[in-house]
Amino acid sequence: MNILSELKSRFRVVLGELVADPTELLGMIRPAQDAKFGDYQANVAMPLGKTLGKPPREIATEIISKLNLSDICEPLEIAGPGFINLRLKDAWLAERVNHAIGDERLDVPLASEPKTYVLDYSSPNVAKPMHVGHIRSTVIGDSLCRALRFLGHRVISDNHLGDWGTQFGMIIYGYKHFVDTAAYEAASVAELSRLYKLVNQLVDYHNARAKLPALESELASRMAAVETQRNQVSTGDKAADKKARKELGKLEAKVAEATESLAATKAKLAAVERDAQLADLAGQHLNIATDVLEETAKLHRGDAENRQLWDEFLPKCREEIQKVYDRMGVKFDFEYGESFYQDRLAGVVEEFQKHGLAKESEGAICVFLDGFDAPMIIRKKDGAFLYATTDLATVQFRMHEWKPDAITYVVDHRQGEHFEKFFAAAKLCGYPDVELCHVSFGTVLGDDGKPFKTRSGDTVGLEALLDEAVQRAYAVVSQNDDAKPNGPELAEDERCRVAEAVGLGAIKYADLSHNRTSDYVFSYDKMLALTGNTATYMQYSYARVNGIFSKGAVDIEKLRRGGASIHITEPAERALALELLRFSDALGDVVEDYRPNQLTNYLFELSKRYSQFFEQCPVLKAEEQTRDSRLLLCDLTARTIRQGLSLLGINVVERM
Ligand code: ARG
């Protein structure tokens, strides 16, 4: 049962007599901040006091007299100005946990109104290997998919692969000019990604050279502004000087900014120029930036050679990416990449024009949207379609194919404006009702607080990252095993299996446990810590419960089915039981705003309650009835951890 929903539905009846729509008020029924105020708290009387013009305590008394909660709660109490405190009955808690024992779903109900969701996540550009930036979309999307499905919703996962963009122009150009045939024969994708990097670097080089004079003059003018401002800071007038110094600070910061971007640009140039071979290539390929665009355009126009190369490259690239998904346990129902929509793009533009929603402006076809300064371009002057055009075609297709209630895009925050515009355009063009949602997320940072890069400044490949996590997990697992009082328990192959689960779990959990909208600092040490809010700790807690069963030679399946039950007597038992029953609340919080960290927070809270219980309540040494009851609490905890982790895409291990 979802406790919060149950409480809300009881309140709804009573509040509905006082106001027309109690929905907002129901949001004020929450778990109590402090256990001394009970388990849940309803802060509805204060706002009602304002609306109804009566003292809140009076309203609270009236609500209580009408509420029918005596089966679930102890008599309700009013505190302070009118808080209603709810304390669940021990007997009711026991009844619910006992029900959970025999319930595969751990007493988590299915959604009363199941919806159809299309989840668009991961969606890498496939011409280059997956890198650290792809973790977030992949694991957040995957866990949302799992949670929504667990709650009974229909979820269609669709990996919107970038398989039709400029990156292909890059590898096509690279292949035509720089391929090392032997290397390509031996390891195609590695060679293609070398080509991608090379072409990208040369394009960057020429762009940087083109930008250099502008950057230099920008810096000079900012420095001049600082010089001028310096003369303003010691006029003798205290207030004016203070203001001038503040302004000087701002101008200096702008100089620092310009210095930094000039330095970064010069570094790019130097990296090519100090390498004779690269410098030579740069000299030979002066127009590479436009030529690469032309290769992409040719592909889009159906040029036979480019099309044939694309047909050859694509399966190889996808296979490489698939390896990463397999390892991470991530599956998609569909992988309609951008290329799938190529034939539909002209139709989208026509439709917008037909309905008078798009206009020509300087040769381009634009959708002008209320509330935005710049229009959304859906066809460029040269006839090329854009990312946004494909996204519009994708909405049409998805609506037609699956009739979803919601389409959810798990994509990093830098694309925020794209999604705002594209959603507005999609609403205009025939889809006013579907819920379109951008589940945005922040950046993975290195120790230096900047986007996570390798020492040499390259992006970090996802496979290498997973490998390293597993390697480090192996060390943690081995150390832990070696230190066991009766000597190591795990054979080599088991250590490897455990290390894989722990390493991948650590990466996923670290990502999911951060509020998705914040950036976070990537740290192997933190994510693999055996204590704290980590997957390792959760997996360890799970294995420890299993350890109790083996130590006591307990047949837990049998106990589960054999009619033993949970009795709540100790406060620590009660606290644990209550937390176990909050699993459903936590999942509700996850899907409400697409936030998997609500689940990691919950699991961490649960394992803390479990530790307290385990410290305060002997299990194997207790007399039989208590022992069975406590074993069942242990079992429910382990099952809840396992289920919770599985909704995060993380495996447990029986021993570690
Ligand atoms: N391929 C895009 C990128 O790497 C992300 C696509 C997200 N999904 C979408 N429907 N736009 O930036």
Side-chain angles (χ1 to χ4, degrees), residues 120-125 134 160-162 167 338 387 391 394 398 409-412 415 418-419 422:
D120 178 321
Y121 60 96
S122 197
S123 311
N125 295 332
H134 295 116
H160 189 70
L161 295 167
Q167 326 86 347
E338 292 179 12
Y387 183 53
D391 262 331
T394 309
R398 288 172 175 166
Y409 300 79
V410 188
V411 184
D412 83 77
Q415 295 194 25
H418 161 73
F419 282 106
F422 140 59

mmCIF file of all heavy atoms in Angstrom, residues 120-125 134 160-162 167 338 387 391 394 398 409-412 415 418-419 422, ligand 1:
data_model
loop_
_atom_site.group_PDB
_atom_site.id
_atom_site.type_symbol
_atom_site.label_atom_id
_atom_site.label_comp_id
_atom_site.label_asym_id
_atom_site.label_seq_id
_atom_site.Cartn_x
_atom_site.Cartn_y
_atom_site.Cartn_z
ATOM 1 N N ASP A 120 12.865 8.787 -24.123
ATOM 2 C CA ASP A 120 13.933 9.007 -25.102
ATOM 3 C C ASP A 120 15.192 9.250 -24.275
ATOM 4 O O ASP A 120 15.297 10.272 -23.600
ATOM 5 C CB ASP A 120 13.518 10.235 -25.938
ATOM 6 C CG ASP A 120 14.530 10.670 -26.984
ATOM 7 O OD1 ASP A 120 15.745 10.628 -26.714
ATOM 8 O OD2 ASP A 120 14.089 11.111 -28.075
ATOM 9 N N TYR A 121 16.099 8.295 -24.257
ATOM 10 C CA TYR A 121 17.307 8.483 -23.446
ATOM 11 C C TYR A 121 18.506 7.783 -24.063
ATOM 12 O O TYR A 121 18.366 7.005 -24.997
ATOM 13 C CB TYR A 121 17.091 8.010 -22.007
ATOM 14 C CG TYR A 121 16.720 6.557 -21.852
ATOM 15 C CD1 TYR A 121 17.685 5.593 -21.578
ATOM 16 C CD2 TYR A 121 15.393 6.153 -21.954
ATOM 17 C CE1 TYR A 121 17.346 4.261 -21.425
ATOM 18 C CE2 TYR A 121 15.047 4.829 -21.809
ATOM 19 C CZ TYR A 121 16.023 3.881 -21.543
ATOM 20 O OH TYR A 121 15.679 2.571 -21.403
ATOM 21 N N SER A 122 19.653 8.110 -23.528
ATOM 22 C CA SER A 122 20.965 7.675 -24.019
ATOM 23 C C SER A 122 21.284 8.421 -25.314
ATOM 24 O O SER A 122 22.066 9.345 -25.324
ATOM 25 C CB SER A 122 21.061 6.162 -24.194
ATOM 26 O OG SER A 122 22.428 5.812 -24.268
ATOM 27 N N SER A 123 20.648 7.990 -26.415
ATOM 28 C CA SER A 123 20.709 8.739 -27.678
ATOM 29 C C SER A 123 22.066 9.339 -28.041
ATOM 30 O O SER A 123 22.161 10.539 -28.320
ATOM 31 C CB SER A 123 19.655 9.868 -27.657
ATOM 32 O OG SER A 123 18.419 9.363 -27.265
ATOM 33 N N PRO A 124 23.133 8.531 -28.034
ATOM 34 C CA PRO A 124 24.441 9.087 -28.384
ATOM 35 C C PRO A 124 24.567 9.320 -29.896
ATOM 36 O O PRO A 124 23.811 8.739 -30.673
ATOM 37 C CB PRO A 124 25.415 7.978 -27.969
ATOM 38 C CG PRO A 124 24.629 6.723 -28.118
ATOM 39 C CD PRO A 124 23.203 7.083 -27.750
ATOM 40 N N ASN A 125 25.510 10.160 -30.249
ATOM 41 C CA ASN A 125 25.881 10.278 -31.653
ATOM 42 C C ASN A 125 26.839 9.128 -31.941
ATOM 43 O O ASN A 125 27.855 8.984 -31.263
ATOM 44 C CB ASN A 125 26.532 11.629 -31.903
ATOM 45 C CG ASN A 125 25.536 12.754 -31.667
ATOM 46 O OD1 ASN A 125 24.334 12.567 -31.835
ATOM 47 N ND2 ASN A 125 26.033 13.901 -31.248
ATOM 48 N N HIS A 134 27.829 10.329 -21.656
ATOM 49 C CA HIS A 134 26.649 9.515 -21.947
ATOM 50 C C HIS A 134 26.134 8.743 -20.746
ATOM 51 O O HIS A 134 25.059 8.156 -20.810
ATOM 52 C CB HIS A 134 26.957 8.543 -23.093
ATOM 53 C CG HIS A 134 27.223 9.231 -24.388
ATOM 54 N ND1 HIS A 134 28.437 9.162 -25.017
ATOM 55 C CD2 HIS A 134 26.446 10.043 -25.134
ATOM 56 C CE1 HIS A 134 28.382 9.882 -26.132
ATOM 57 N NE2 HIS A 134 27.190 10.434 -26.215
ATOM 58 N N HIS A 160 17.176 7.437 -29.389
ATOM 59 C CA HIS A 160 17.161 8.326 -30.564
ATOM 60 C C HIS A 160 18.605 8.580 -31.030
ATOM 61 O O HIS A 160 19.159 9.665 -30.871
ATOM 62 C CB HIS A 160 16.470 9.635 -30.172
ATOM 63 C CG HIS A 160 16.176 10.555 -31.304
ATOM 64 N ND1 HIS A 160 15.227 10.298 -32.260
ATOM 65 C CD2 HIS A 160 16.704 11.758 -31.642
ATOM 66 C CE1 HIS A 160 15.172 11.297 -33.125
ATOM 67 N NE2 HIS A 160 16.076 12.192 -32.777
ATOM 68 N N LEU A 161 19.200 7.539 -31.589
ATOM 69 C CA LEU A 161 20.613 7.593 -31.968
ATOM 70 C C LEU A 161 20.902 8.719 -32.963
ATOM 71 O O LEU A 161 20.141 8.932 -33.913
ATOM 72 C CB LEU A 161 21.017 6.273 -32.625
ATOM 73 C CG LEU A 161 20.960 5.038 -31.740
ATOM 74 C CD1 LEU A 161 21.079 3.780 -32.600
ATOM 75 C CD2 LEU A 161 22.070 5.078 -30.698
ATOM 76 N N GLY A 162 22.000 9.402 -32.730
ATOM 77 C CA GLY A 162 22.445 10.419 -33.685
ATOM 78 C C GLY A 162 23.255 9.726 -34.774
ATOM 79 O O GLY A 162 24.458 9.542 -34.644
ATOM 80 N N GLN A 167 28.719 14.328 -37.642
ATOM 81 C CA GLN A 167 29.798 13.392 -37.286
ATOM 82 C C GLN A 167 30.079 12.434 -38.437
ATOM 83 O O GLN A 167 31.201 12.011 -38.641
ATOM 84 C CB GLN A 167 29.485 12.537 -36.053
ATOM 85 C CG GLN A 167 28.664 13.187 -34.987
ATOM 86 C CD GLN A 167 27.181 13.034 -35.278
ATOM 87 O OE1 GLN A 167 26.796 12.659 -36.360
ATOM 88 N NE2 GLN A 167 26.357 13.341 -34.308
ATOM 89 N N GLU A 338 18.125 9.025 -35.857
ATOM 90 C CA GLU A 338 17.720 10.191 -36.647
ATOM 91 C C GLU A 338 17.516 9.825 -38.117
ATOM 92 O O GLU A 338 16.645 10.376 -38.787
ATOM 93 C CB GLU A 338 18.776 11.297 -36.530
ATOM 94 C CG GLU A 338 18.855 11.906 -35.152
ATOM 95 C CD GLU A 338 19.930 12.992 -35.068
ATOM 96 O OE1 GLU A 338 20.437 13.417 -36.120
ATOM 97 O OE2 GLU A 338 20.246 13.398 -33.933
ATOM 98 N N TYR A 387 18.330 19.422 -36.525
ATOM 99 C CA TYR A 387 18.041 18.590 -35.354
ATOM 100 C C TYR A 387 16.587 18.766 -34.922
ATOM 101 O O TYR A 387 15.864 17.791 -34.672
ATOM 102 C CB TYR A 387 19.005 19.063 -34.265
ATOM 103 C CG TYR A 387 18.998 18.352 -32.942
ATOM 104 C CD1 TYR A 387 19.130 16.972 -32.871
ATOM 105 C CD2 TYR A 387 18.906 19.077 -31.754
ATOM 106 C CE1 TYR A 387 19.161 16.339 -31.634
ATOM 107 C CE2 TYR A 387 18.949 18.461 -30.520
ATOM 108 C CZ TYR A 387 19.072 17.084 -30.457
ATOM 109 O OH TYR A 387 19.109 16.477 -29.246
ATOM 110 N N ASP A 391 13.378 16.199 -34.605
ATOM 111 C CA ASP A 391 12.625 15.999 -33.373
ATOM 112 C C ASP A 391 11.121 16.172 -33.603
ATOM 113 O O ASP A 391 10.312 15.454 -33.011
ATOM 114 C CB ASP A 391 13.131 16.948 -32.273
ATOM 115 C CG ASP A 391 14.118 16.237 -31.342
ATOM 116 O OD1 ASP A 391 13.985 14.999 -31.178
ATOM 117 O OD2 ASP A 391 15.009 16.893 -30.795
ATOM 118 N N THR A 394 9.851 13.149 -35.218
ATOM 119 C CA THR A 394 9.845 12.059 -34.246
ATOM 120 C C THR A 394 8.577 12.105 -33.386
ATOM 121 O O THR A 394 7.982 11.066 -33.100
ATOM 122 C CB THR A 394 11.108 12.149 -33.368
ATOM 123 O OG1 THR A 394 12.239 12.256 -34.218
ATOM 124 C CG2 THR A 394 11.265 10.927 -32.506
ATOM 125 N N ARG A 398 5.914 9.121 -33.123
ATOM 126 C CA ARG A 398 5.619 8.486 -31.827
ATOM 127 C C ARG A 398 4.149 8.608 -31.468
ATOM 128 O O ARG A 398 3.553 7.677 -30.926
ATOM 129 C CB ARG A 398 6.488 9.122 -30.738
ATOM 130 C CG ARG A 398 7.943 8.711 -30.864
ATOM 131 C CD ARG A 398 8.832 9.481 -29.903
ATOM 132 N NE ARG A 398 10.202 8.975 -29.979
ATOM 133 C CZ ARG A 398 11.251 9.594 -29.481
ATOM 134 N NH1 ARG A 398 11.098 10.753 -28.844
ATOM 135 N NH2 ARG A 398 12.459 9.067 -29.582
ATOM 136 N N TYR A 409 12.216 13.268 -22.472
ATOM 137 C CA TYR A 409 13.552 13.310 -23.078
ATOM 138 C C TYR A 409 14.586 13.482 -21.977
ATOM 139 O O TYR A 409 14.574 14.501 -21.277
ATOM 140 C CB TYR A 409 13.661 14.485 -24.043
ATOM 141 C CG TYR A 409 12.660 14.443 -25.181
ATOM 142 C CD1 TYR A 409 11.339 14.843 -24.987
ATOM 143 C CD2 TYR A 409 13.042 14.006 -26.444
ATOM 144 C CE1 TYR A 409 10.425 14.802 -26.027
ATOM 145 C CE2 TYR A 409 12.127 13.971 -27.494
ATOM 146 C CZ TYR A 409 10.823 14.366 -27.275
ATOM 147 O OH TYR A 409 9.915 14.323 -28.305
ATOM 148 N N VAL A 410 15.459 12.507 -21.829
ATOM 149 C CA VAL A 410 16.502 12.618 -20.811
ATOM 150 C C VAL A 410 17.771 13.118 -21.504
ATOM 151 O O VAL A 410 18.508 12.341 -22.119
ATOM 152 C CB VAL A 410 16.756 11.261 -20.118
ATOM 153 C CG1 VAL A 410 17.699 11.436 -18.945
ATOM 154 C CG2 VAL A 410 15.443 10.638 -19.667
ATOM 155 N N VAL A 411 17.978 14.404 -21.450
ATOM 156 C CA VAL A 411 19.061 15.036 -22.225
ATOM 157 C C VAL A 411 19.688 16.152 -21.391
ATOM 158 O O VAL A 411 19.002 16.794 -20.596
ATOM 159 C CB VAL A 411 18.511 15.643 -23.548
ATOM 160 C CG1 VAL A 411 19.643 16.212 -24.396
ATOM 161 C CG2 VAL A 411 17.736 14.608 -24.348
ATOM 162 N N ASP A 412 20.967 16.391 -21.574
ATOM 163 C CA ASP A 412 21.651 17.329 -20.679
ATOM 164 C C ASP A 412 21.130 18.756 -20.789
ATOM 165 O O ASP A 412 20.507 19.133 -21.779
ATOM 166 C CB ASP A 412 23.177 17.235 -20.837
ATOM 167 C CG ASP A 412 23.698 18.045 -21.996
ATOM 168 O OD1 ASP A 412 23.790 19.276 -21.862
ATOM 169 O OD2 ASP A 412 23.998 17.422 -23.029
ATOM 170 N N GLN A 415 20.786 21.552 -23.646
ATOM 171 C CA GLN A 415 19.790 21.544 -24.724
ATOM 172 C C GLN A 415 18.441 22.098 -24.261
ATOM 173 O O GLN A 415 17.424 21.920 -24.935
ATOM 174 C CB GLN A 415 19.646 20.132 -25.288
ATOM 175 C CG GLN A 415 20.926 19.663 -25.961
ATOM 176 C CD GLN A 415 20.737 18.419 -26.835
ATOM 177 O OE1 GLN A 415 19.667 18.142 -27.326
ATOM 178 N NE2 GLN A 415 21.808 17.677 -27.014
ATOM 179 N N HIS A 418 16.599 24.308 -26.749
ATOM 180 C CA HIS A 418 16.097 23.520 -27.884
ATOM 181 C C HIS A 418 14.762 22.872 -27.523
ATOM 182 O O HIS A 418 13.801 22.937 -28.287
ATOM 183 C CB HIS A 418 17.119 22.447 -28.279
ATOM 184 C CG HIS A 418 16.520 21.322 -29.103
ATOM 185 N ND1 HIS A 418 16.148 21.490 -30.429
ATOM 186 C CD2 HIS A 418 16.189 20.041 -28.773
ATOM 187 C CE1 HIS A 418 15.635 20.347 -30.880
ATOM 188 N NE2 HIS A 418 15.638 19.454 -29.897
ATOM 189 N N PHE A 419 14.724 22.246 -26.335
ATOM 190 C CA PHE A 419 13.498 21.537 -25.977
ATOM 191 C C PHE A 419 12.343 22.499 -25.720
ATOM 192 O O PHE A 419 11.212 22.215 -26.112
ATOM 193 C CB PHE A 419 13.743 20.592 -24.798
ATOM 194 C CG PHE A 419 14.442 19.333 -25.239
ATOM 195 C CD1 PHE A 419 15.779 19.112 -24.966
ATOM 196 C CD2 PHE A 419 13.766 18.387 -25.996
ATOM 197 C CE1 PHE A 419 16.427 17.966 -25.418
ATOM 198 C CE2 PHE A 419 14.400 17.238 -26.456
ATOM 199 C CZ PHE A 419 15.736 17.026 -26.167
ATOM 200 N N PHE A 422 11.160 23.472 -29.184
ATOM 201 C CA PHE A 422 10.596 22.372 -29.947
ATOM 202 C C PHE A 422 9.269 21.897 -29.321
ATOM 203 O O PHE A 422 8.313 21.581 -30.038
ATOM 204 C CB PHE A 422 11.679 21.292 -30.120
ATOM 205 C CG PHE A 422 11.245 19.881 -30.001
ATOM 206 C CD1 PHE A 422 10.268 19.353 -30.847
ATOM 207 C CD2 PHE A 422 11.834 19.045 -29.067
ATOM 208 C CE1 PHE A 422 9.883 18.022 -30.729
ATOM 209 C CE2 PHE A 422 11.456 17.723 -28.953
ATOM 210 C CZ PHE A 422 10.464 17.220 -29.783
HETATM 211 N N1 ARG B 1 22.051 12.802 -30.090
HETATM 212 C C1 ARG B 1 21.805 13.960 -29.279
HETATM 213 C C2 ARG B 1 23.127 14.421 -28.651
HETATM 214 O O1 ARG B 1 24.045 13.635 -28.535
HETATM 215 C C3 ARG B 1 20.810 13.718 -28.181
HETATM 216 C C4 ARG B 1 19.432 13.344 -28.652
HETATM 217 C C5 ARG B 1 18.389 13.492 -27.596
HETATM 218 N N2 ARG B 1 17.072 13.153 -28.033
HETATM 219 C C6 ARG B 1 16.313 13.913 -28.835
HETATM 220 N N3 ARG B 1 15.175 13.438 -29.229
HETATM 221 N N4 ARG B 1 16.680 15.085 -29.217
HETATM 222 O O2 ARG B 1 23.219 15.561 -28.261
#
